[in-house]
């Protein structure tokens, strides 16, 4: 597929006030999972707010690697090895992660650059993170909000990883031993079978993709491979923010390249973006505060309390 842009192509919507923003965001249905004779189906959109429309969908690890003479997967090896070796002395035996995604989530929590990209199931929480501290970016004229169809992304994730596994089987003559695709159950699986594969099976397929080598790794790098992954364990911040990760499993590509490559066969309805005038920021903060979306609700600790007081000084105490 032609790579004309480093960002997914999405229709731009421009919002200048709260009313227009609400009209746009209320177009998205709430997350839903249904079970019937056809199996498990679901719809879910995830969102990410950026304080400047010039910013890219780019994990922190990729940004750090740009200033160095190494690719992000190489830098990740150094970062991960250093963190794991030193973190163990601060963790109890029972809290030491057993899989790579949990290690990545722990690093992300402590602001160590990783390949993870934070999203949320709440469009209004994402909007808050877009306008939060946006005044500090004096060159910004627009705040950007991304919306991505998580169900469509994970459907493609199952497809590309399944194809990569088949290539490995053909090349090596042995299966990977990983979880099956829920679509492989056909009409022989029960609704419980579908649910198990959709939840535990997805976690195992993600772990398998992160550790892939050889033919399997080559297939992921060639096709692009991104998934939407729930945090392996929640902390109060992630829970209040309705947090979720987007994760690039194609180590030969950047996050955006991997996502574009993987979603190429799909119609362009799987992602949308909205640009919001910075002149609307004060009104947005006030309206979100009324909805109980503010510093302390999203950061339920002393840092959040201090942030809420700063907000009230700026917005309410006149």
């Amino acid at each position: 597929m032609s790579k004309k842009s480093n960002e997914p192509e999405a229709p731009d919507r421009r919002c200048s006030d709260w009313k227009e923003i609400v009209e746009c965001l209320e177009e998205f249905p709430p997350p839903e999972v249904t079970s019937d004779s056809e199996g498990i189906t679901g719809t879910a959109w995830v969102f990410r707010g950026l304080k400047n429309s010039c910013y890219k969908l780019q994990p922190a690890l990729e940004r750090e690697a740009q200033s160095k003479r190494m690719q992000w997967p190489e830098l990740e090896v150094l970062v991960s090895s250093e963190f794991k070796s030193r973190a163990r002395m601060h963790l109890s035996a029972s809290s030491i992660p057993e899989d790579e995604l949990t290690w990545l989530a722990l690093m992300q929590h402590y602001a160590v650059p990783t390949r993870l990209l934070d999203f949320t199931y709440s469009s209004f929480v994402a909007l808050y993170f877009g306008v939060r501290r946006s005044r500090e970016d004096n060159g910004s004229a627009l705040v950007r909000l991304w919306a991505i169809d998580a169900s469509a992304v994970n459907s493609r994730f199952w497809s590309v990883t399944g194809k990569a596994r088949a290539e490995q089987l053909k090349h090596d003559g042995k299966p990977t031993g990983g979880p099956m695709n829920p679509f492989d159950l056909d009409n022989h699986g029960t609704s419980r079978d579908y649910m198990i594969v959709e939840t535990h099976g997805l976690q195992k397929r993600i772990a398998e993709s992160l550790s892939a080598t050889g033919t399997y790794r080559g297939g992921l790098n060639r096709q692009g491979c991104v998934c939407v992954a729930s945090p392996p364990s929640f902390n109060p911040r992630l829970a209040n923010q309705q947090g979720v990760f987007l994760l690039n499993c194609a180590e030969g590509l950047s996050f955006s390249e991997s996502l574009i490559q993987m979603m190429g066969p799909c119609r362009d309805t799987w992602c949308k973006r909205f640009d919001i005038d910075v002149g609307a920021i004060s009104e947005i903060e006030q309206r979100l505060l009324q909805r109980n979306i503010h510093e302390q609700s999203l950061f339920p600790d002393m840092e959040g309390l201090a942030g809420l007081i700063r907000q009230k000084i700026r917005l309410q105490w006149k």
Side-chain angles (χ1 to χ4, degrees):
M1 130 177 216
S2 176
K3 299 179 183 176
K4 297 180 180 179
S5 171
N6 289 328
E7 290 284 276
E9 293 185 6
D12 285 317
R13 299 274 296 274
R14 183 76 172 265
C15 301
S16 59
D17 57 33
W18 177 254
K19 181 180 179 181
E20 291 181 356
I21 293 168
V22 171
E23 287 176 355
C24 288
L25 298 188
E26 289 187 343
E27 293 176 4
F28 295 97
E32 182 179 86
V33 175
T34 58
S35 175
D36 54 31
S37 60
E38 300 296 322
I40 305 298
T41 58
T43 57
W45 285 81
V46 295
F47 306 87
R48 179 174 173 83
L50 301 174
K51 67 179 183 178
N52 190 319
S53 60
C54 295
Y55 292 172
K56 299 178 179 179
L57 287 175
Q58 184 179 49
L61 187 70
E62 288 185 22
R63 292 198 302 272
E64 292 292 339
Q66 285 181 335
S67 63
K68 309 188 182 299
R69 290 180 294 179
M70 63 178 72
Q71 301 297 313
W72 70 262
E74 299 168 318
L75 180 59
E76 183 182 63
V77 172
L78 298 178
V79 170
S80 180
S81 298
E82 184 81 1
F83 184 85
K84 290 176 182 177
S85 63
R86 295 178 179 271
R88 293 177 189 275
M89 63 182 172
H90 301 291
L91 300 170
S92 65
S94 61
S95 62
I96 294 176
E98 298 181 352
D99 62 272
E100 189 61 24
L101 179 57
T102 305
W103 274 114
L104 289 171
L106 184 62
M107 288 190 281
Q108 186 87 344
H109 177 67
Y110 288 105
V112 176
T114 75
R115 67 168 79 186
L116 301 180
L117 202 56
D118 289 307
F119 275 72
T120 171
Y121 284 107
S122 169
S123 57
F124 289 100
V125 168
L127 176 63
Y128 181 80
F129 279 108
V131 302
R132 181 178 184 249
R133 299 177 181 173
S134 59
R135 291 181 179 82
E136 299 171 6
D137 193 333
N138 295 326
S140 175
L142 295 170
V143 169
R144 175 158 290 176
L145 187 68
W146 279 94
I148 290 180
D149 185 341
S151 302
V153 168
N154 276 358
S155 176
R156 284 292 299 154
F157 171 75
W158 277 111
S159 177
V160 300
T161 53
K163 184 176 180 181
R165 292 179 74 215
E167 290 175 354
Q168 184 185 47
L169 176 60
K170 182 178 179 180
H171 182 270
D172 300 336
K174 58 181 180 180
T176 63
M180 70 187 332
N181 187 323
F183 302 107
D184 292 340
L185 292 172
D186 289 328
N187 296 322
H188 303 294
T190 67
S191 59
R192 185 175 184 275
D193 294 331
Y194 279 99
M195 189 64 74
I196 289 173
V197 174
E198 284 281 4
T199 53
H200 303 297
L202 178 62
Q203 295 167 9
K204 292 180 180 179
R205 180 62 65 88
I206 291 171
E208 178 186 283
S209 301
L210 284 171
S211 62
T213 58
T215 306
Y216 196 166
R217 166 60 53 206
L220 301 183
N221 290 351
R222 184 175 61 258
Q223 298 177 87
C225 183
V226 172
C227 66
V228 179
S230 294
S233 61
F234 281 86
N235 56 61
R237 288 189 176 187
L238 274 174
N240 285 20
Q241 295 166 13
Q242 300 184 53
V244 66
F245 302 127
L246 260 68
L247 168 66
N248 178 19
C249 297
E251 295 177 354
L253 302 169
S254 70
F255 173 86
S256 289
E257 290 171 340
S258 183
L259 185 60
I260 293 169
Q261 190 81 355
M262 185 184 80
M263 300 304 292
C266 302
R267 295 181 301 169
D268 60 0
T269 56
W270 60 270
C271 69
K272 300 179 182 181
R273 65 188 178 200
F274 306 88
D275 287 340
I276 300 160
D277 293 337
V278 294
I281 288 176
S282 292
E283 181 187 13
I284 291 170
E285 281 195 282
Q286 291 275 17
R287 297 286 190 173
L288 291 176
L289 191 59
Q290 290 178 317
R291 289 174 174 243
N292 198 36
I293 298 176
H294 52 72
E295 284 294 297
Q296 192 175 26
S297 67
L298 299 179
F299 299 92
D301 48 31
M302 289 295 291
E303 181 183 342
L305 171 59
L308 175 61
I309 291 172
R310 290 193 297 270
Q311 274 190 290
K312 288 193 171 185
I313 290 173
R314 186 175 67 252
L315 299 173
Q316 294 185 340
W317 295 338
K318 301 179 180 180

